[in-house]
Protein backbone atom coordinates (compact mmCIF):
# COMPACT_ATOMS: atom_id res chain seq x y z
CA UNK A 1 0.00 0.00 0.00
CA UNK A 2 0.95 3.62 -0.42
CA UNK A 3 2.73 4.85 2.70
CA UNK A 4 1.04 8.24 2.48
CA UNK A 5 -2.30 6.95 1.24
CA UNK A 6 -2.88 4.49 4.05
CA UNK A 7 -2.45 7.11 6.81
CA UNK A 8 -5.81 8.26 8.22
CA UNK A 9 -6.56 11.99 8.28
CA UNK A 10 -7.67 13.26 11.70
CA UNK A 11 -10.58 15.70 11.50
CA UNK A 12 -10.12 18.49 14.09
CA UNK A 13 -13.00 19.97 16.09
CA UNK A 14 -15.01 22.55 14.15
CA UNK A 15 -14.32 20.94 10.76
CA UNK A 16 -17.05 19.09 8.85
CA UNK A 17 -16.38 16.74 5.96
CA UNK A 18 -19.07 15.73 3.45
CA UNK A 19 -18.68 13.31 0.56
CA UNK A 20 -21.20 13.37 -2.28
CA UNK A 21 -20.83 12.09 -5.86
CA UNK A 22 -17.00 11.71 -5.62
CA UNK A 23 -16.62 15.30 -4.37
CA UNK A 24 -15.09 15.82 -0.93
CA UNK A 25 -16.14 19.11 0.73
CA UNK A 26 -14.39 20.35 3.85
CA UNK A 27 -15.79 23.26 5.87
CA UNK A 28 -14.07 24.91 8.82
CA UNK A 29 -13.47 28.22 10.60
CA UNK A 30 -11.08 29.50 7.86
CA UNK A 31 -13.32 28.71 4.88
CA UNK A 32 -14.70 25.97 2.68
CA UNK A 33 -12.87 23.86 0.07
CA UNK A 34 -13.91 21.01 -2.21
CA UNK A 35 -12.03 18.51 -4.34
CA UNK A 36 -13.29 16.06 -6.97
CA UNK A 37 -11.91 12.56 -6.41
CA UNK A 38 -11.41 9.90 -9.10
CA UNK A 39 -14.29 7.42 -9.14
CA UNK A 40 -11.98 4.44 -8.40
CA UNK A 41 -10.66 5.94 -5.14
CA UNK A 42 -12.92 5.39 -2.12
CA UNK A 43 -13.09 8.09 0.60
CA UNK A 44 -15.03 7.51 3.82
CA UNK A 45 -15.35 9.24 7.18
CA UNK A 46 -15.56 7.14 10.34
CA UNK A 47 -14.73 7.80 14.00
CA UNK A 48 -13.53 11.37 13.31
CA UNK A 49 -11.01 10.22 10.70
CA UNK A 50 -10.96 10.20 6.91
CA UNK A 51 -9.80 6.97 5.26
CA UNK A 52 -8.75 6.81 1.60
CA UNK A 53 -8.64 3.37 -0.05
CA UNK A 54 -7.95 2.04 -3.53
CA UNK A 55 -9.40 -1.00 -5.31
CA UNK A 56 -6.20 -2.58 -6.73
CA UNK A 57 -2.41 -2.28 -6.68
CA UNK A 58 -2.46 -0.99 -10.25
CA UNK A 59 0.13 1.73 -10.92
CA UNK A 60 -2.50 4.41 -11.59
CA UNK A 61 -4.46 3.51 -8.45
CA UNK A 62 -1.31 3.62 -6.30
CA UNK A 63 -0.42 7.08 -7.63
CA UNK A 64 -3.91 8.49 -7.13
CA UNK A 65 -4.23 6.94 -3.66
CA UNK A 66 -1.41 9.04 -2.23
CA UNK A 67 -2.35 12.09 -4.29
CA UNK A 68 -5.95 12.35 -3.11
CA UNK A 69 -5.01 11.59 0.50
CA UNK A 70 -2.49 14.48 0.40
CA UNK A 71 -4.98 16.86 -1.27
CA UNK A 72 -7.68 16.07 1.31
CA UNK A 73 -5.18 16.47 4.16
CA UNK A 74 -4.13 19.88 2.78
CA UNK A 75 -7.80 20.94 2.66
CA UNK A 76 -8.40 19.86 6.28
CA UNK A 77 -5.30 21.71 7.51
CA UNK A 78 -6.19 24.75 5.38
CA UNK A 79 -9.73 25.22 6.72
CA UNK A 80 -8.64 24.63 10.33
CA UNK A 81 -5.26 26.42 10.57
CA UNK A 82 -4.64 28.07 7.19
CA UNK A 83 -1.39 28.53 5.27
CA UNK A 84 0.99 31.49 5.33
CA UNK A 85 3.88 32.42 3.03
CA UNK A 86 6.30 35.30 3.49
CA UNK A 87 8.24 36.74 0.59
CA UNK A 88 11.12 39.21 0.78
CA UNK A 89 12.12 41.83 -1.82
CA UNK A 90 15.91 42.15 -1.99
CA UNK A 91 17.21 45.09 -4.01
CA UNK A 92 17.70 48.85 -3.92
CA UNK A 93 14.42 50.66 -4.54
CA UNK A 94 12.28 47.50 -4.46
CA UNK A 95 8.95 48.27 -2.81
CA UNK A 96 5.62 46.58 -2.21
CA UNK A 97 2.27 47.99 -1.12
CA UNK A 98 -1.11 46.33 -0.80
CA UNK A 99 -4.49 48.05 -1.10
CA UNK A 100 -7.38 45.62 -0.83
CA UNK A 101 -6.74 42.72 -3.21
CA UNK A 102 -4.27 44.65 -5.40
CA UNK A 103 -0.55 44.28 -4.81
CA UNK A 104 1.67 47.03 -6.24
CA UNK A 105 5.34 46.17 -6.80
CA UNK A 106 8.27 48.40 -7.76
CA UNK A 107 10.99 45.99 -8.92
CA UNK A 108 13.49 48.17 -10.75
CA UNK A 109 11.55 48.27 -14.00
CA UNK A 110 10.48 51.54 -15.62
CA UNK A 111 6.92 50.92 -14.45
CA UNK A 112 5.07 49.65 -11.38
CA UNK A 113 3.54 46.17 -11.53
CA UNK A 114 -0.03 45.68 -10.27
CA UNK A 115 -1.28 42.19 -9.42
CA UNK A 116 -4.95 41.54 -8.65
CA UNK A 117 -5.08 38.67 -6.18
CA UNK A 118 -7.94 36.16 -5.81
CA UNK A 119 -10.43 36.92 -3.03
CA UNK A 120 -9.39 33.73 -1.15
CA UNK A 121 -5.94 35.23 -0.43
CA UNK A 122 -5.24 37.86 2.23
CA UNK A 123 -2.24 40.04 1.47
CA UNK A 124 -0.18 42.34 3.67
CA UNK A 125 2.91 44.35 2.75
CA UNK A 126 5.39 45.47 5.41
CA UNK A 127 8.16 48.01 4.96
CA UNK A 128 10.52 48.82 7.83
CA UNK A 129 13.50 51.13 7.74
CA UNK A 130 16.83 49.35 6.99
CA UNK A 131 15.01 46.06 6.30
CA UNK A 132 13.87 44.44 3.09
CA UNK A 133 10.14 44.86 2.26
CA UNK A 134 7.98 41.81 3.07
CA UNK A 135 4.89 40.44 1.37
CA UNK A 136 2.79 38.20 3.64
CA UNK A 137 0.18 36.01 1.92
CA UNK A 138 -2.40 33.92 3.81
CA UNK A 139 -5.02 31.49 2.51
CA UNK A 140 -6.85 28.28 3.32
CA UNK A 141 -6.08 26.87 -0.16
CA UNK A 142 -2.47 25.62 -0.27
CA UNK A 143 -2.50 25.04 -4.02
CA UNK A 144 -3.77 28.53 -4.87
CA UNK A 145 -1.34 30.14 -2.41
CA UNK A 146 1.64 28.36 -3.99
CA UNK A 147 0.51 29.32 -7.47
CA UNK A 148 0.20 33.03 -6.55
CA UNK A 149 3.60 32.98 -4.80
CA UNK A 150 5.19 31.43 -7.90
CA UNK A 151 3.62 34.12 -10.10
CA UNK A 152 4.92 36.93 -7.86
CA UNK A 153 8.38 35.34 -7.68
CA UNK A 154 8.53 34.97 -11.49
CA UNK A 155 8.37 38.77 -11.89
CA UNK A 156 11.95 39.09 -10.55
CA UNK A 157 13.64 35.81 -9.63
CA UNK A 158 16.64 36.03 -7.29
CA UNK A 159 19.81 36.24 -9.33
CA UNK A 160 23.02 34.46 -8.22
CA UNK A 161 25.52 37.35 -8.46
CA UNK A 162 24.09 40.05 -6.17
CA UNK A 163 21.15 38.09 -4.74
CA UNK A 164 18.59 40.68 -5.89
CA UNK A 165 15.00 39.63 -6.54
CA UNK A 166 11.92 38.23 -4.80
CA UNK A 167 12.63 35.28 -2.51
CA UNK A 168 10.89 33.39 0.28
CA UNK A 169 11.89 34.32 3.83
CA UNK A 170 14.56 31.86 4.97
CA UNK A 171 15.42 30.77 1.41
CA UNK A 172 19.14 30.55 0.71
CA UNK A 173 20.26 31.79 -2.71
CA UNK A 174 23.32 30.02 -4.07
CA UNK A 175 25.78 32.78 -4.93
CA UNK A 176 28.35 32.89 -7.73
CA UNK A 177 31.61 34.82 -7.52
CA UNK A 178 31.48 36.53 -10.92
CA UNK A 179 34.20 37.24 -13.46
CA UNK A 180 36.54 39.07 -11.06
CA UNK A 181 37.22 35.83 -9.17
CA UNK A 182 38.00 33.72 -12.26
CA UNK A 183 41.46 32.19 -12.64
CA UNK A 184 43.84 33.65 -15.20
Amino acid sequence: MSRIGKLPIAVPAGVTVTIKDNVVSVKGPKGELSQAVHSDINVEVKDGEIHVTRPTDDRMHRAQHGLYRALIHNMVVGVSEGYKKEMELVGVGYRASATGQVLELALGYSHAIYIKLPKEIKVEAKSERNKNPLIILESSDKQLLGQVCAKIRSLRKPEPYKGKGIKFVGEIIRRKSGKSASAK
Side-chain angles (χ1 to χ4, degrees):
M1 291 204 56
S2 167
R3 290 185 206 146
I4 294 293
K6 69 181 177 183
L7 296 173
I9 304 166
V11 179
V15 175
T16 57
V17 179
T18 56
I19 302 160
K20 184 181 179 201
D21 298 330
N22 293 332
V23 175
V24 178
S25 298
V26 182
K27 190 173 187 178
K30 298 264 183 178
E32 185 176 357
L33 297 170
S34 62
Q35 172 69 45
V37 178
H38 194 275
S39 59
D40 291 347
I41 303 298
N42 185 27
V43 180
E44 54 190 20
V45 181
K46 54 184 169 187
D47 302 330
E49 290 183 331
I50 303 170
H51 295 276
V52 181
T53 55
R54 64 175 186 240
T56 66
D57 274 347
D58 187 36
R59 184 180 178 93
M60 186 187 79
H61 289 153
R62 287 196 320 255
Q64 290 182 342
H65 187 205
L67 168 74
Y68 286 118
R69 190 266 177 204
L71 290 176
I72 294 168
H73 178 263
N74 289 344
M75 290 193 314
V76 170
V77 172
V79 297
S80 60
E81 300 167 21
Y83 291 101
K84 182 178 181 179
K85 295 262 189 183
E86 294 184 359
M87 302 179 89
E88 185 177 15
L89 279 67
V90 181
V92 177
Y94 287 15
R95 289 186 312 275
S97 64
T99 50
Q101 291 300 103
V102 177
L103 180 66
E104 179 185 354
L105 299 170
L107 300 174
Y109 296 117
S110 61
H111 58 282
I113 298 169
Y114 296 93
I115 301 172
K116 185 162 179 9
L117 299 172
K119 66 181 184 315
E120 296 89 3
I121 292 183
K122 288 184 220 152
V123 64
E124 182 184 346
K126 285 186 181 176
S127 295
E128 292 182 27
R129 191 164 175 81
N130 296 330
K131 287 190 180 176
N132 292 328
L134 286 177
I135 302 169
I136 301 164
L137 300 163
E138 292 182 58
S139 179
S140 61
D141 191 346
K142 186 176 186 179
Q143 200 171 343
L144 180 66
L145 184 65
Q147 200 172 356
V148 169
C149 286
K151 177 65 180 166
I152 292 171
R153 183 184 158 99
S154 72
L155 297 172
R156 185 69 99 172
K157 285 188 179 168
E159 52 97 16
Y161 297 102
K162 292 185 179 179
K164 292 168 52 172
I166 302 174
K167 67 179 191 120
F168 292 104
V169 171
E171 181 183 4
I172 297 168
I173 305 299
R174 191 146 173 238
R175 302 290 294 271
K176 291 184 178 179
S177 57
K179 66 181 181 182
S180 62
S182 64
K184 293 182 179 179

